[in-house]
């Protein structure tokens, strides 16, 4: 498998990018009708989002992740976990999509059907205008009820709350509460809010350590990968399964795979091209090189 590898610095241009790509690969990418862009923490780093798994900087340097980002931590101390996520939410609200997010959103206008599969919980792809986004690890700014498996198991006959879809094991249900009442509650400083319907504590709708991915999200990701002709992996560490195997799944099905990452991963030895650089610089140049008529 031919491998193209180069670095794009701050001065990277579409012309330079095109000259470095194998012409046959450019032709394959240009002919693609379905493209998957798979993004990880590196995608959001230039927007100033503290990365979830980077223990050296940002919010993760101040805490042990096991004390704020697990179901066990929330059960033991809901307020501490909530307060920590409020800090992260403030960072997300203060951030803006970068040129890489914008380039991905604009790619839809170039013709191919684009599905974004992201490990990020910051919703920056949505804010940039991407329409088809699979959020593997959830969305920080969306809330859901905390389903305490132990309490649900202990309850005599748990029912499903029609507002939050969680197990309603609380007694003070509000029969008039609606889903809109839940959607109106935000991840803000203050006491941990409760579901307006069943009274269950609310939590950010993200995948904490030790929790499984949502089945519908991983199935949507697999479907998109199985249908794509091109997969571009951007800033993903590829350490966490099952997300990490998505590029290999695409390769096994014959798709062209390109990695964009300041620090290439194990994928680099297998994929069709590797571009060492930051997403905000590389993606606009790469897309302009592949789809210049856009
Ligand atoms: Zn509820």
């Amino acid at each position: 498998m031919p491998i193209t590898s180069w670095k794009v610095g701050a001065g990277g241009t579409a012309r330079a990018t095109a000259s470095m790509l194998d012409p046959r690969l450019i032709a394959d990418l240009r002919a693609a009708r379905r493209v998957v862009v798979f993004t990880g923490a590196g995608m959001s780093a230039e927007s100033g989002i503290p990365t979830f798994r980077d223990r050296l900087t940002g919010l993760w340097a101040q805490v042990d992740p096991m004390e704020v980002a697990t179901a066990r931590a929330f059960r033991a101390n809901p307020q501490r976990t909530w307060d920590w996520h409020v800090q992260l939410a403030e960072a997300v609200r203060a951030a803006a999509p970068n040129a890489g997010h914008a380039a991905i959103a604009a790619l839809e206008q170039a013709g191919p059907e684009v599905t974004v599969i992201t490990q990020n919980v910051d919703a920056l792809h949505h804010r940039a205008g991407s329409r088809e986004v699979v959020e593997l690890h959830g969305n920080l700014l969306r809330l859901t009820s905390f389903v305490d498996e132990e309490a649900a198991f202990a309850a005599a006959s748990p029912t499903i709350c029609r507002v939050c879809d969680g197990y309603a094991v609380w007694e003070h249900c509000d029969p008039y509460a609606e889903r809109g009442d839940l959607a109106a509650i935000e991840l803000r400083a203050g006491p941990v809010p409760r579901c307006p319907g069943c009274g269950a504590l609310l939590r950010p709708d993200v995948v904490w350590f030790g929790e499984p991915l949502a089945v519908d999200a991983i199935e949507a990701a697999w479907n998109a990968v199985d249908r794509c002709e091109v997969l571009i992996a951007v800033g993903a560490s590829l350490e966490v399964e099952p997300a990490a195997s998505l590029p290999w799944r695409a390769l096994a099905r014959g798709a062209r795979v390109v990695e964009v990452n300041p620090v290439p991963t194990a994928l680099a030895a297998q994929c069709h091209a590797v571009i060492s650089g930051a997403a905000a610089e590389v993606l606009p140049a790469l897309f302009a090189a592949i789809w210049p008529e856009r």
Side-chain angles (χ1 to χ4, degrees):
M1 189 174 288
I3 293 182
T4 307
S5 181
W6 70 91
K7 291 181 186 300
V8 173
T13 65
R15 184 180 302 231
T17 302
S19 71
M20 288 182 283
L21 276 174
D22 180 336
R24 288 167 300 177
L25 178 58
I26 288 189
D28 286 345
L29 299 181
R30 191 171 289 160
R33 288 163 300 160
R34 286 180 279 267
V35 175
V36 164
V37 185
F38 173 51
T39 69
M43 183 78 231
S44 296
E46 288 153 274
S47 289
I49 304 288
T51 62
F52 250 75
R53 291 167 202 280
D54 185 348
R55 311 275 168 79
L56 302 176
T57 59
L59 288 166
W60 289 107
Q62 303 161 20
V63 294
D64 176 350
M66 296 303 148
E67 291 180 16
V68 290
T70 64
R72 178 192 294 253
F74 189 84
R75 186 181 296 112
N77 192 337
Q79 191 66 54
R80 179 165 191 244
T81 300
W82 178 266
D83 291 346
W84 187 85
H85 284 82
V86 166
Q87 289 185 63
L88 193 58
E90 293 307 324
V92 165
R93 291 189 184 101
N98 62 52
H101 293 101
I104 294 169
L107 183 59
E108 291 179 8
Q109 313 304 322
E113 177 187 311
V114 180
T115 301
V116 178
I117 302 173
T118 186
Q119 295 174 293
N120 301 329
V121 298
D122 51 41
L124 289 181
H125 287 296
H126 285 295
R127 283 172 57 188
S130 286
R131 285 174 295 182
E132 192 72 25
V133 183
V134 178
E135 295 173 311
L136 287 175
H137 292 165
N139 183 328
L140 180 74
L141 301 181
R142 185 175 62 220
L143 298 178
T144 186
S145 62
F146 178 66
V147 177
D148 190 330
E149 303 284 356
E150 293 178 12
F153 188 71
S157 56
T159 54
I160 302 296
C161 171
R162 60 184 180 78
V163 174
C164 69
D165 295 326
Y167 295 114
V169 294
W170 295 77
E171 307 228 326
H172 44 285
C173 294
D174 175 357
Y176 300 106
E178 298 175 356
R179 287 179 185 267
D181 298 329
L182 172 62
I185 302 173
E186 295 187 324
L187 180 51
R188 300 280 185 184
V192 185
R194 292 180 179 277
C195 170
C198 65
L201 288 169
L202 295 180
R203 54 166 282 183
D205 194 2
V206 296
V207 178
W208 282 331
F209 293 97
E211 292 184 320
L213 272 59
V215 173
D216 55 351
I218 193 67
E219 285 186 348
W222 282 335
N223 285 337
V225 167
D226 289 350
R227 294 173 69 235
C228 78
E229 290 119 12
V230 167
L231 182 144
I232 303 170
V234 185
S237 68
L238 304 181
E239 288 171 356
V240 190
E241 288 294 349
S245 62
L246 291 175
W248 276 275
R249 187 175 174 116
L251 278 173
R253 295 187 62 91
R256 306 286 108 175
V257 175
V258 177
E259 175 167 41
V260 176
N261 214 326
V263 183
T265 66
L267 179 65
Q270 301 287 325
C271 66
H272 298 86
V274 179
I275 308 176
S276 305
E281 290 162 3
V282 172
L283 292 182
L286 176 66
F287 294 163
I290 300 172
W291 292 280
E293 68 281 4
R294 176 157 64 88

